[in-house]
Amino acid sequence: MSSVEEALLLKPPPSTVVCHRAAAEAVAAACHHDGCPGCAMDRRKESLGGRIPIRELSFVSATTLAASLPITCLFPFMYFMVRDFNVAKNEEDIGSYAGFLAASYMIGRATTSIFWGIAADRLGRKPVIAFSMLSVVLLQTLFGLSTKYWMAVAARLLLGSLNGILGPIKAYAIEVCQTEHQALGLSVVNTAWGVGLVIGPGLGGYLAQPAEKYQRAFSKESIFGRFPYLLPCLVVSLFAAIVLLSCIWLPETIHKHKITEKDIKIVKALPSQQAHWDLPRKKSLLQNWPWMSTMASYCLFGLHETAYSEILSLWAVSDRKYGGLSFSSGDIGEVLAVAGASLLVYQLIIYHWVNKFLGPLISSRIASALSILVLATFPFMTYLSGSKLSFALYAATMTRSVLGITISTAMCLIQNNAVRQDQRGTANGISTTAMSFFKAVAPLGAGVLFSWAQKRQNATFFPGDQVVFLMLILVQLAGLTSTFEPFLVMPAAEECR
């Protein structure tokens, strides 16, 4: 591996770009077009003088959080919700039905993500983001009002199909930042997404079945008594409605003009490393092997992350006789909420330095290897109780959350810098579709695996919960392997010339 290739993929653009900013701005100003929102955004970035675009990243954070909350909000009460639907013949089969309910969102997202990515490239980021927030407001409320299993599945399927925000918001986070802040932009997306995936279960755990938990505030005859899972869904919908209103002030970033040969020459005139990161890539995404290979790794890690989230919740609330911890929905919600808080601290304070000194590729490899060690500790927690169990579980979930967000942020950063701006929405849409397929398979497989494992709790070879976490370790190992050659294709050294 050459030193040039190492510089391109292992580390983000070096700080020397900042020293050349004045010269770069003078050259790049020649390619600005009047009336183009993308060019207006470029001028705004230049006017910041290297400062972080706090307003835009705050919107990115709030929007991403609102879009991610519905995904895992149901995990703490999913077991009880499926039980109340009376579709499972016995208790051991609840996991299978719960897995399909969780997977329905990802199935819907997999079918439409490419469409939303193309729409974001052609119509702009703003209309796609606004429509996605509207879908969350309506369909998350409908899910909370479900009284039949098919109603819940249909609401989740539609929500996944119409909430096409993940690809466009990643592109938006890249486009509102100057080169030296792009890692921070994607870090904000992944932080908010990760926090949402953890706060979501917290909301579900604390607010589900309020008539049983908070009898003084909610009566069984009230709407929240008749619909025990509406309250957490309604809170998510209200937050999404606030974000939807804020879209009025959202600036567009997409360029409304074609990239000309003159523009390409201007970018080539920029300082070498910045020119590499800004230069338009190959026209066909299918010929962009660095992007394709990184997307494969991204999908494997996404498969693992979703399976882990579902298994952790199901395992924690299941009875100890089946290898679980006998937690209530509130208990596991509290654990996941604390893990979400650790993500926020890590991404805002620590991750910047991790990315600066290790780069996205090396940091993802180290985090993946450490995740395998953490996962191996979970089955042994069933032998603990009291404060020892609490300490072990909190420490493991916090560490695992930090490692997972390190991997996903690194993969997103490499992916988005492997394509040109007018392809970024489509590229993220394709990767979201592929990732959604894997994330749809994950809860299905995890639910079936969990139900099967509960029936073999007395087996001699990897009984019950041990075989579940063994499978998670194997998937994580596959993801780690995919970050090495020949599975991961390095950018050609001549691209930086």
Side-chain angles (χ1 to χ4, degrees):
M1 186 184 303
S2 70
S3 60
V4 174
E5 291 174 332
E6 288 279 359
L8 290 178
L9 193 56
L10 299 187
K11 292 190 177 182
S15 58
T16 53
V17 173
V18 179
C19 300
H20 297 287
R21 185 184 297 116
E25 291 174 1
V27 177
C31 64
H32 286 158
H33 296 71
D34 293 333
C36 172
C39 291
M41 176 56 68
D42 289 342
R43 288 192 291 269
R44 169 168 168 73
K45 289 189 291 184
E46 292 166 8
S47 68
L48 290 174
R51 297 189 303 273
I52 296 173
I54 296 177
R55 186 185 69 178
E56 287 81 1
L57 291 184
S58 297
F59 175 84
V60 167
S61 178
T63 306
T64 307
L65 180 61
S68 64
L69 286 175
I71 298 178
T72 56
C73 176
L74 78 163
F75 280 175
F77 62 78
M78 179 171 57
Y79 186 93
F80 306 103
M81 190 181 201
V82 173
R83 184 195 62 187
D84 293 347
F85 287 145
N86 296 316
V87 293
K89 294 182 179 179
N90 51 63
E91 188 175 355
E92 291 87 344
D93 293 331
I94 291 178
S96 298
Y97 286 95
F100 188 78
L101 178 60
S104 58
Y105 178 93
M106 292 300 168
I107 293 173
R109 194 170 77 174
T111 60
T112 60
S113 291
I114 295 179
F115 166 78
W116 290 119
I118 295 174
D121 281 340
R122 295 185 177 180
L123 303 177
R125 318 302 189 205
K126 183 174 181 176
V128 173
I129 292 173
F131 184 83
S132 297
M133 286 295 96
L134 179 62
S135 70
V136 173
V137 173
L138 299 177
L139 293 169
Q140 184 66 10
T141 303
L142 182 62
F143 174 72
L145 293 171
S146 300
T147 56
K148 300 291 184 181
Y149 181 72
W150 68 266
M151 292 175 62
V153 171
R156 296 282 294 177
L157 188 67
L158 283 173
L159 179 57
S161 300
L162 300 180
N163 184 8
I165 201 172
L166 186 55
I169 202 66
K170 288 179 180 177
Y172 189 84
I174 284 283
E175 290 157 6
V176 298
C177 293
Q178 291 180 305
T179 304
E180 62 266 29
H181 297 313
Q182 287 181 357
L184 175 62
L186 278 178
S187 178
V188 167
V189 172
N190 286 295
T191 298
W193 192 264
V195 169
L197 295 183
V198 178
I199 291 180
L203 290 174
Y206 284 116
L207 302 180
Q209 301 170 312
E212 296 180 13
K213 296 177 181 176
Y214 316 109
Q215 296 180 7
R216 293 184 178 180
F218 302 94
S219 67
K220 292 185 178 181
E221 290 74 26
S222 67
I223 186 173
F224 298 114
R226 290 182 287 117
F227 301 99
Y229 310 106
L230 173 61
L231 183 57
C233 298
L234 197 59
V235 170
V236 173
S237 295
L238 289 175
F239 180 67
I242 295 173
V243 175
L244 176 61
L245 291 176
S246 70
C247 287
I248 298 173
W249 298 277
L250 174 66
E252 183 58 75
T253 61
I254 193 70
H255 284 275
K256 298 296 185 180
H257 60 85
K258 294 182 178 180
I259 297 178
T260 63
E261 184 65 27
K262 175 185 176 182
D263 295 337
I264 295 176
K265 290 179 179 179
I266 289 174
V267 174
K268 286 183 177 180
L270 297 173
S272 60
Q273 284 103 347
Q274 185 175 346
H276 166 72
W277 286 76
D278 291 344
L279 184 63
R281 267 50 173 188
K282 296 177 180 178
K283 185 66 177 176
S284 174
L285 288 173
L286 297 180
Q287 296 177 0
N288 191 332
W289 300 118
W291 174 75
M292 292 281 287
S293 60
T294 307
M295 184 177 68
S297 298
Y298 187 51
C299 289
L300 276 174
F301 287 123
L303 171 72
H304 174 272
E305 197 68 28
T306 305
Y308 163 78
S309 297
E310 182 184 4
I311 285 176
L312 179 64
S313 297
L314 291 175
W315 169 70
V317 301
S318 62
D319 196 277
R320 279 189 177 268
K321 67 181 180 181
Y322 296 121
L325 299 179
S326 296
F327 275 26
S328 67
S329 58
D331 293 332
I332 187 60
E334 182 177 339
V335 171
L336 296 178
V338 172
S342 68
L343 277 183
L344 183 62
V345 174
Y346 172 75
Q347 284 285 78
L348 294 180
I349 300 176
I350 302 174
Y351 178 73
H352 169 73
W353 299 102
V354 173
N355 185 73
K356 179 178 180 180
F357 290 108
L358 296 178
L361 186 59
I362 295 298
S363 63
S364 66
R365 288 173 178 171
I366 294 175
S368 184
L370 291 176
S371 292
I372 294 174
L373 299 178
V374 174
L375 288 169
T377 66
F378 280 97
F380 301 100
M381 293 183 192
T382 56
Y383 301 106
L384 303 176
S385 61
S387 59
K388 292 182 180 179
L389 173 60
S390 298
F391 176 80
L393 186 60
Y394 276 93
T397 52
M398 290 169 64
T399 304
R400 178 60 193 78
S401 296
V402 164
L403 296 174
I405 206 69
T406 299
I407 296 169
S408 61
T409 302
M411 292 295 106
C412 286
L413 182 61
I414 297 173
Q415 265 193 324
N416 278 272
N417 279 293
V419 296
R420 48 193 265 182
Q421 199 241 13
D422 64 333
Q423 292 179 319
R424 204 167 273 150
T426 303
N428 279 307
I430 294 173
S431 65
T432 300
T433 294
M435 182 186 65
S436 297
F437 172 78
F438 280 85
K439 286 193 171 187
V441 171
L444 283 173
V448 172
L449 175 65
F450 187 79
S451 294
W452 171 74
Q454 285 194 324
K455 297 174 183 178
R456 62 184 306 275
Q457 190 60 32
N458 296 321
T460 303
F461 183 73
F462 286 105
D465 53 320
Q466 293 186 19
V467 73
V468 171
F469 286 100
L470 173 64
M471 295 304 297
L472 287 177
I473 289 173
L474 292 178
V475 174
Q476 185 73 23
L477 182 61
L480 174 61
T481 304
S482 70
T483 63
F484 291 90
E485 294 180 342
F487 304 104
L488 184 66
V489 179
M490 306 289 285
E494 59 266 17
E495 284 190 35
C496 68
R497 296 195 183 103

Tab-separated table of all heavy atoms in Angstrom, residues 2 117 131 135 199 208 228-229 275 287 370 373 394 448 479-480:
chain	number	residue	atom	x	y	z
A	2	SER	N	0.653	2.129	-0.939
A	2	SER	CA	1.507	3.303	-1.053
A	2	SER	C	1.139	4.346	-0.018
A	2	SER	O	0.058	4.350	0.540
A	2	SER	CB	1.363	3.904	-2.458
A	2	SER	OG	0.093	4.474	-2.609
A	117	GLY	N	-33.508	8.998	-3.139
A	117	GLY	CA	-32.185	9.534	-3.443
A	117	GLY	C	-32.159	10.273	-4.769
A	117	GLY	O	-31.594	11.370	-4.884
A	131	PHE	N	-41.131	16.122	3.287
A	131	PHE	CA	-42.128	15.056	3.109
A	131	PHE	C	-41.865	13.900	4.065
A	131	PHE	O	-42.801	13.277	4.587
A	131	PHE	CB	-42.113	14.557	1.663
A	131	PHE	CG	-43.169	13.526	1.375
A	131	PHE	CD1	-44.468	13.907	1.074
A	131	PHE	CD2	-42.860	12.172	1.412
A	131	PHE	CE1	-45.440	12.957	0.816
A	131	PHE	CE2	-43.833	11.219	1.165
A	131	PHE	CZ	-45.129	11.604	0.856
A	135	SER	N	-44.457	12.224	6.897
A	135	SER	CA	-44.799	10.803	6.994
A	135	SER	C	-44.607	10.285	8.417
A	135	SER	O	-45.380	9.444	8.890
A	135	SER	CB	-43.956	9.990	6.013
A	135	SER	OG	-42.592	9.934	6.406
A	199	ILE	N	-32.532	6.586	22.394
A	199	ILE	CA	-33.582	7.303	23.111
A	199	ILE	C	-34.955	6.732	22.744
A	199	ILE	O	-35.864	6.691	23.588
A	199	ILE	CB	-33.527	8.812	22.799
A	199	ILE	CG1	-32.274	9.423	23.425
A	199	ILE	CG2	-34.765	9.528	23.328
A	199	ILE	CD1	-32.128	10.900	23.177
A	208	ALA	N	-44.808	3.502	27.340
A	208	ALA	CA	-45.758	2.471	26.937
A	208	ALA	C	-46.556	1.987	28.146
A	208	ALA	O	-46.061	1.996	29.284
A	208	ALA	CB	-45.026	1.301	26.294
A	228	PRO	N	-52.633	1.306	24.676
A	228	PRO	CA	-51.515	1.374	25.644
A	228	PRO	C	-50.172	1.751	25.040
A	228	PRO	O	-49.241	2.078	25.783
A	228	PRO	CB	-51.475	-0.035	26.237
A	228	PRO	CG	-52.148	-0.903	25.229
A	228	PRO	CD	-53.188	-0.054	24.581
A	229	TYR	N	-50.051	1.722	23.715
A	229	TYR	CA	-48.755	2.018	23.094
A	229	TYR	C	-48.792	3.303	22.271
A	229	TYR	O	-47.899	3.572	21.473
A	229	TYR	CB	-48.324	0.830	22.211
A	229	TYR	CG	-48.417	-0.477	22.961
A	229	TYR	CD1	-49.435	-1.386	22.698
A	229	TYR	CD2	-47.509	-0.779	23.975
A	229	TYR	CE1	-49.537	-2.568	23.408
A	229	TYR	CE2	-47.607	-1.960	24.694
A	229	TYR	CZ	-48.621	-2.850	24.406
A	229	TYR	OH	-48.721	-4.018	25.130
A	275	ALA	N	-8.362	19.230	-3.788
A	275	ALA	CA	-8.786	18.915	-5.143
A	275	ALA	C	-9.223	17.458	-5.229
A	275	ALA	O	-10.205	17.131	-5.890
A	275	ALA	CB	-7.651	19.177	-6.132
A	287	GLN	N	-19.298	1.838	-11.553
A	287	GLN	CA	-17.882	1.708	-11.862
A	287	GLN	C	-16.996	2.317	-10.783
A	287	GLN	O	-15.780	2.280	-10.890
A	287	GLN	CB	-17.583	2.384	-13.209
A	287	GLN	CG	-18.271	1.723	-14.396
A	287	GLN	CD	-18.017	2.471	-15.690
A	287	GLN	OE1	-17.333	3.490	-15.700
A	287	GLN	NE2	-18.560	1.956	-16.783
A	370	LEU	N	-12.852	-4.460	18.892
A	370	LEU	CA	-13.240	-4.316	20.300
A	370	LEU	C	-14.700	-4.721	20.522
A	370	LEU	O	-15.052	-5.237	21.593
A	370	LEU	CB	-13.025	-2.874	20.751
A	370	LEU	CG	-11.563	-2.408	20.849
A	370	LEU	CD1	-11.499	-0.927	21.219
A	370	LEU	CD2	-10.789	-3.249	21.856
A	373	LEU	N	-15.113	-8.365	21.400
A	373	LEU	CA	-14.804	-8.664	22.805
A	373	LEU	C	-15.968	-8.287	23.720
A	373	LEU	O	-16.296	-9.026	24.657
A	373	LEU	CB	-13.535	-7.922	23.228
A	373	LEU	CG	-12.252	-8.268	22.460
A	373	LEU	CD1	-11.092	-7.419	22.968
A	373	LEU	CD2	-11.926	-9.750	22.598
A	394	TYR	N	-24.642	-1.868	31.994
A	394	TYR	CA	-24.482	-0.467	31.606
A	394	TYR	C	-23.140	-0.249	30.910
A	394	TYR	O	-23.056	0.432	29.880
A	394	TYR	CB	-24.588	0.446	32.830
A	394	TYR	CG	-25.997	0.805	33.204
A	394	TYR	CD1	-26.702	0.045	34.133
A	394	TYR	CD2	-26.629	1.899	32.634
A	394	TYR	CE1	-28.005	0.380	34.487
A	394	TYR	CE2	-27.936	2.237	32.982
A	394	TYR	CZ	-28.613	1.468	33.911
A	394	TYR	OH	-29.899	1.792	34.247
A	448	VAL	N	-36.293	-15.102	14.659
A	448	VAL	CA	-36.367	-16.554	14.516
A	448	VAL	C	-35.258	-17.222	15.329
A	448	VAL	O	-35.491	-18.228	16.018
A	448	VAL	CB	-36.270	-16.952	13.028
A	448	VAL	CG1	-36.151	-18.464	12.887
A	448	VAL	CG2	-37.478	-16.435	12.261
A	479	GLY	N	-17.858	-8.262	9.094
A	479	GLY	CA	-17.716	-6.840	8.806
A	479	GLY	C	-16.285	-6.370	8.936
A	479	GLY	O	-15.791	-5.597	8.104
A	480	LEU	N	-15.597	-6.827	9.973
A	480	LEU	CA	-14.187	-6.462	10.155
A	480	LEU	C	-13.345	-6.952	8.995
A	480	LEU	O	-12.491	-6.222	8.471
A	480	LEU	CB	-13.678	-7.046	11.473
A	480	LEU	CG	-12.182	-6.899	11.768
A	480	LEU	CD1	-11.777	-5.437	11.830
A	480	LEU	CD2	-11.818	-7.605	13.073
